[in-house]
Amino acid sequence: MMKKYLVSILCGLFLLPGCDYLNMVPEKDIETIESVFEQRTKVEGWWIGVYADLISLLQSSDKNLAFSASDEYTPSPVLYTSINLLPGFLVANGQQMSQDPYGNIWAKMYQLIRRANVFIDNVDKTYNMTQEDKTWWKADMKALKAYIYFELLRTYGPICLIPQNMPVDLEMEDYQLPRQPVDTCFKEIIRLLDEAEPDIPRHSQRSAIYGFTFTKEALYALKARVLVYAASPLFNGNIFYADFKNKNGELLFNPTYDREKWRIAAEAADKAAEICAQGDREFPAKGSSKKTTLLNHMDDIEQSTYSMFSNKEYLLEWKGGMTTIYIYLLPRLVGDNNHFEALAFGCLSPSMKMVEMYYTENGLPITADVYWNYGNRYKLGSESALAYENVVPLNTDVVRLHLRREPRFYASIAGDRMYWQRGVSTQSLDNNLLVQARKGEGPWSSQQDVIVSNDYQNICGYWVKKWIYSWIPTKNYYQGITNETMAVIRLAEVYMMQAEAWNEYLDAPDEEHVYKPLNKVRVRAGIPTVEDAWTNYSSNPGKIKTKEGMREIIRQEYNIEFAFEGHRYWNVRRWMIAQTEMNGKSYGWNVLGSTATTFYNDENGPIEIGRSFKFVAPRDYFTPFKAEEILISGMKQNPGW
């Protein structure tokens, strides 16, 4: 009987890429499956192992396309060569393929689902565990299974659901499960979360050694995120997929828009915020140790990206995330003996789109602030206010694009004539470095006389500061980072979901449901409330009064608050605006220019550099299945592939 059960497990394990592995079951594994669920230590190893393998897929910047396949970055040409460890850039460039897709997680995720099912079905058999722990661990695995389903759903669209292990004595075609309608998939995810909720502990009730697992706060936030996706245009009345059917003729997308889905999502986000408020999930205390208010705000923002299972804003956090990408973000600083790092390349820049995405100091888009000269943004100016000391050099020529911007801009972006703290300063060494990016000026500038494809080179003139912690020196940086985690869900997203969902449901935005949660994020960022900013400083004060106006404002707030965190990749898809956002040329400064005039292109604006962004709709809204898997599994390929 046990052998039959094990073969059933393994058949399901390899179900979707095919069942060719059925004749590869060694006899010794029969005893292993039986023994695992006898003892707590082995059961715990199974539980943690599912998390570990999931994290290795989703928290890896070289495997998870969301970290690099949006338009947030401008890569050096060398990152398109055979040494490229971040294939997302190829996807952003329109080079995804169905023969062997980049970011292909389908088979491995279904292996995890099968392992989750085995755990759920067998954990009650463990003899040396308390019933309380059995109940909790089973509930946690259900929540994790829901999360796996969700990741598959937003990656591939309609997915196959496997509620339990399948018998071994089915005909082969019975293992070829059909893809389910997206509404059915969302319902199953919510069912799992609701079933798990009563037995999931609050953050304050859970042992710190299980910091990677679900808490009530995380579960409710995930539920809200799932429902926001279900209400979003990609899954709610999607005209692109109105005729997409299973092989049996079943519609996989409901072509009719349902406004009520936004109400359900809004109420779920409200409940998540309530649960977080009842617990100890909150924005960390504001810093006050820096010299200026702006520097303190920048420190608050930097701290929001740092945790070792210790950040009160983090609702769910896992290790990894930026491990591979660090080497490309970190400036190399050749020639600076105090800061040179041989393992850093500094060849991955923020895109000019992201540089211009950040607000002005008044909390407005640079196109909307009447006190910020948008027309002269590429001309040189200077700053004299002490409020900007140690952020930009005072009374010095600086491109106006870098002046009078919001704290998140200065905390996340480094560019020519901007300061970047690269280690704790001492009496003998000032580590608040001035970025001097023009050719021939030193360690920041290009080491090549031309743009090349065989060496690491910053081709844009900007660096991403986010994730590069200011208190850890550039030199030997990798010795300073140890057990940092990255947020899977953080509190700011809960507030953003409240604002977005209620704005989409209500006839017009209001203070309680839309402005208030949005302002929690803005105030932490050190900018005025949305009402103050748009009423007192904007060229269009009436914009916040309309659903359409607030939709644009909320979406830009998402883009800024979660820049470089992997959110934009998903958001432009669920909003169904990727075909306009992800098609365009790449721009930057002339990094081979040795003077301000040549570097800034005679003050005429950025020049075209690098590769263009390419997105084909509807094809690129979902990752294709590997062609071989389609042939074996009998599933229907995503449209366009």
Side-chain angles (χ1 to χ4, degrees):
M1 184 67 185
M2 191 63 204
K3 183 174 181 179
K4 181 177 179 180
Y5 180 67
L6 177 59
V7 174
S8 173
I9 292 171
L10 292 178
C11 182
L13 194 64
F14 298 105
L15 170 64
L16 296 158
C19 293
D20 298 334
Y21 304 87
L22 287 178
N23 59 354
M24 299 173 61
V25 183
E27 287 294 323
K28 63 181 181 180
D29 281 354
I30 297 173
E31 295 180 359
T32 301
I33 291 293
E34 285 184 327
S35 63
V36 160
F37 290 95
E38 291 179 352
Q39 300 180 35
R40 176 190 172 100
T41 54
K42 293 182 179 181
V43 172
E44 185 173 19
W46 186 293
W47 180 35
I48 294 174
V50 176
Y51 267 102
D53 288 348
L54 178 64
I55 292 169
S56 72
L57 282 177
L58 300 184
Q59 290 296 93
S60 173
S61 52
D62 58 336
K63 296 176 184 176
N64 188 337
L65 296 180
F67 288 119
S68 56
S70 74
D71 55 354
E72 294 177 299
Y73 290 109
T74 300
S76 166
V78 74
L79 293 181
Y80 291 103
T81 65
S82 60
I83 66 171
N84 177 27
L85 297 177
L86 296 167
F89 300 135
L90 301 176
V91 175
N93 189 230
Q95 294 179 247
Q96 181 61 285
M97 55 185 175
S98 59
Q99 291 83 0
D100 190 12
Y102 300 115
N104 179 17
I105 60 173
W106 181 261
K108 291 182 179 179
M109 293 288 263
Y110 273 98
Q111 291 174 18
L112 295 177
I113 288 172
R114 299 301 303 191
R115 287 162 60 186
N117 281 346
V118 171
F119 185 94
I120 292 167
D121 290 344
N122 288 276
V123 66
D124 286 327
K125 301 174 184 177
T126 309
Y127 71 86
N128 61 341
M129 278 181 69
T130 65
Q131 186 58 48
E132 181 181 14
D133 280 352
K134 290 177 183 179
T135 303
W136 165 35
W137 289 13
K138 182 188 290 189
D140 184 81
M141 190 62 80
K142 289 178 181 178
L144 190 63
K145 181 180 175 182
Y147 185 86
I148 294 170
Y149 272 152
F150 171 69
E151 286 293 337
L152 284 166
L153 180 57
R154 68 175 179 174
T155 301
Y156 294 99
I159 61 174
C160 305
L161 300 174
I162 305 180
Q164 58 190 12
N165 295 329
M166 300 174 68
V168 71
D169 53 356
L170 298 178
E171 296 297 328
M172 185 61 69
E173 56 267 22
D174 292 327
Y175 291 112
Q176 297 178 330
L177 298 179
R179 301 171 71 182
Q180 296 295 319
V182 293
D183 285 347
T184 302
C185 298
F186 280 117
K187 287 178 182 178
E188 175 61 10
I189 295 170
I190 296 302
R191 185 194 69 80
L192 283 167
L193 292 174
D194 286 344
E195 197 171 288
E197 186 277 334
D199 301 310
I200 295 290
R202 290 183 178 272
H203 184 275
S204 59
Q205 299 170 329
R206 184 194 57 183
S207 170
I209 65 172
Y210 298 114
F212 56 89
T213 61
F214 275 85
T215 62
K216 267 192 171 39
E217 295 89 344
L219 184 144
Y220 276 100
L222 176 59
K223 182 177 179 179
R225 181 193 276 182
V226 171
L227 290 169
V228 164
Y229 271 73
S232 295
L234 183 61
F235 296 104
N236 187 7
N238 185 332
I239 59 173
F240 281 162
Y241 296 96
D243 297 324
F244 186 27
K245 300 177 182 179
N246 247 336
K247 288 187 175 181
N248 61 8
E250 184 180 25
L251 278 174
L252 294 175
F253 285 80
N254 189 335
T256 304
Y257 172 76
D258 184 358
R259 180 184 175 189
E260 281 299 301
K261 290 182 178 179
W262 282 114
R263 178 189 60 78
I264 295 170
E267 291 175 350
D270 284 352
K271 183 64 175 179
E274 177 188 337
I275 294 296
C276 290
Q278 291 173 357
D280 59 350
R281 300 299 89 187
E282 59 190 9
F283 288 149
K286 293 184 178 181
S288 59
S289 62
K290 304 297 181 182
K291 187 174 183 179
T292 66
T293 299
L294 176 55
L295 289 171
N296 279 314
H297 283 314
M298 290 167 58
D299 185 55
D300 292 342
I301 294 159
E302 182 175 13
Q303 295 297 331
S304 75
T305 68
Y306 180 80
S307 182
M308 295 174 64
F309 296 110
S310 56
N311 192 323
K312 287 192 173 184
E313 184 185 348
Y314 285 20
L315 308 181
L316 182 64
E317 57 187 303
W318 294 332
K319 291 182 181 179
M322 303 303 290
T323 305
T324 301
I325 214 168
Y326 274 142
I327 65 173
Y328 300 130
L329 295 179
L330 195 68
R332 196 170 202 183
L333 303 180
V334 175
D336 186 332
N337 292 332
N338 293 317
H339 297 280
F340 169 67
E341 174 50 64
L343 296 178
F345 300 120
C347 61
L348 183 55
S349 304
S351 65
M352 184 59 69
K353 177 182 284 189
M354 292 307 299
V355 170
E356 298 199 345
M357 182 79 70
Y358 287 89
Y359 292 145
T360 69
E361 64 178 353
N362 293 320
L364 292 167
I366 60 176
T367 56
D369 191 331
V370 296
Y371 295 96
W372 199 87
N373 195 329
Y374 179 76
N376 288 332
R377 67 192 183 283
Y378 301 137
K379 299 185 182 302
L380 295 179
S382 63
E383 180 58 70
S384 60
L386 291 177
Y388 290 88
E389 186 179 6
N390 293 329
V391 176
V392 294
L394 303 183
N395 304 308
T396 301
D397 283 343
V398 179
V399 68
R400 292 180 183 272
L401 186 63
H402 301 171
L403 300 179
R404 299 294 172 112
R405 302 294 296 276
E406 63 158 313
R408 286 177 296 193
F409 173 77
Y410 296 117
S412 304
I413 303 292
D416 186 49
R417 272 58 188 179
M418 296 169 66
Y419 284 108
W420 189 357
Q421 188 74 39
R422 295 303 320 120
V424 178
S425 295
T426 65
Q427 289 185 343
S428 60
L429 183 62
D430 184 2
N431 285 324
N432 192 29
L433 307 184
L434 179 64
V435 178
Q436 295 176 299
R438 302 166 197 168
K439 177 68 177 172
E441 285 191 317
W444 296 93
S445 62
S446 175
Q447 305 299 311
Q448 302 285 348
D449 295 325
V450 295
I451 302 299
V452 299
S453 60
N454 61 352
D455 194 11
Y456 300 100
Q457 187 178 22
N458 185 306
I459 65 170
C460 183
Y462 288 103
W463 289 261
V464 175
K465 294 170 68 174
K466 199 169 189 177
W467 310 116
I468 306 298
Y469 302 116
S470 62
W471 59 87
I472 304 176
T474 304
K475 190 172 185 178
N476 299 322
Y477 187 83
Y478 299 96
Q479 296 178 17
I481 57 173
T482 51
N483 295 309
E484 288 79 9
T485 58
M486 186 175 180
V488 179
I489 308 176
R490 57 185 177 95
L491 184 59
E493 185 180 355
V494 173
Y495 298 145
M496 292 301 303
M497 290 190 292
Q498 285 181 284
E500 179 185 10
W502 280 118
N503 184 67
E504 295 297 335
Y505 178 71
L506 298 172
D507 292 328
D510 64 8
E511 195 278 333
E512 179 64 24
H513 295 94
V514 181
Y515 303 151
K516 185 176 179 180
L518 180 63
N519 285 335
K520 291 179 181 178
V521 178
R522 292 174 64 94
V523 169
R524 194 272 292 280
I527 56 176
T529 65
V530 68
E531 306 100 300
D532 185 13
W534 284 90
T535 300
N536 297 319
Y537 304 104
S538 84
S539 56
N540 183 13
K543 187 169 184 174
I544 62 171
K545 300 297 183 182
T546 68
K547 179 195 298 281
E548 295 74 19
M550 278 306 301
R551 179 184 295 141
E552 290 184 12
I553 292 169
I554 289 168
R555 288 179 177 180
Q556 185 158 351
E557 196 75 50
Y558 264 114
N559 290 333
I560 295 171
E561 177 65 23
F562 299 102
F564 314 112
E565 294 184 38
H567 284 246
R568 181 167 166 80
Y569 174 88
W570 299 115
N571 282 337
V572 296
R573 284 166 170 76
R574 71 177 178 88
W575 293 329
M576 285 195 70
I577 59 174
Q579 64 269 30
T580 56
E581 292 291 314
M582 286 293 297
N583 276 307
K585 297 178 179 179
S586 182
Y587 293 92
W589 298 118
N590 176 19
V591 297
L592 302 179
S594 59
T595 65
T597 300
T598 55
F599 185 87
Y600 290 115
N601 190 29
D602 293 323
E603 299 185 340
N604 290 318
I607 61 174
E608 185 178 344
I609 60 172
R611 299 193 182 191
S612 298
F613 301 106
K614 297 177 183 178
F615 187 98
V616 177
R619 186 195 72 182
D620 292 335
Y621 272 103
F622 293 112
T623 297
F625 297 100
K626 190 174 183 179
E628 181 183 5
E629 290 179 350
I630 290 295
L631 292 174
I632 295 173
S633 68
M635 292 188 305
K636 193 168 183 179
Q637 179 64 279
N638 279 328
W641 297 103

